[in-house]
Amino acid sequence: MLARAGASLRPPQKITESLAIFLLCAAGGGLVEYMTGWLLLHVFQTRYWDYTGAIGSVGGYICLFSILGFGAFGLLWLRLLAQRIIRLWERISFPVQILLTGVLDTAFLTDVIFSILLPNTGKNITF
């Protein structure tokens, strides 16, 4: 609904809505990153990233830079990319959609397996 309504909004409304999208994406992304980092450390005794020493770091799990990134990319995704990708996807035939979905699912599952078996840990794992 946000993307469809965006074209008819007056500028102040669009700015307010964009700010709300940015803040929700920043808060949601930061919360998921914090919980994921905390669980990785306390369940698997490993850190896949460490923001210790970065501006706004909270336990090394999140920092100001990552939260601003979640907000900016969430806004970019919702305002510019999502509708274009959906239109492109709808132009692809259903059998090709199934094939692409299978390929992408396989790539994701492979990444998950390798991340569990061979995590990127150690010095300088973040920057």
Side-chain angles (χ1 to χ4, degrees), residues 58-112:
V58 178
Y61 303 122
I62 59 173
C63 69
L64 181 62
F65 179 75
S66 68
I67 291 171
L68 293 175
F70 283 120
F73 285 109
L75 183 60
L76 176 72
W77 176 260
L78 290 172
R79 285 287 188 216
L80 298 176
L81 300 175
Q83 287 298 327
R84 289 180 174 97
I85 292 171
I86 289 169
R87 282 193 297 270
L88 177 65
W89 183 257
E90 289 172 344
R91 291 176 26 201
I92 299 172
S93 69
F94 185 70
V96 174
Q97 287 179 348
I98 296 297
L99 177 66
L100 285 171
T101 301
V103 168
L104 293 172
D105 286 348
T106 301
F108 176 70
L109 184 59
T110 302
D111 181 59
V112 169

Side-chain angles (χ1 to χ4, degrees), residues 9 22 44 65 76 125:
L9 293 177
F22 177 87
F44 296 105
F65 179 75
L76 176 72
I125 59 174

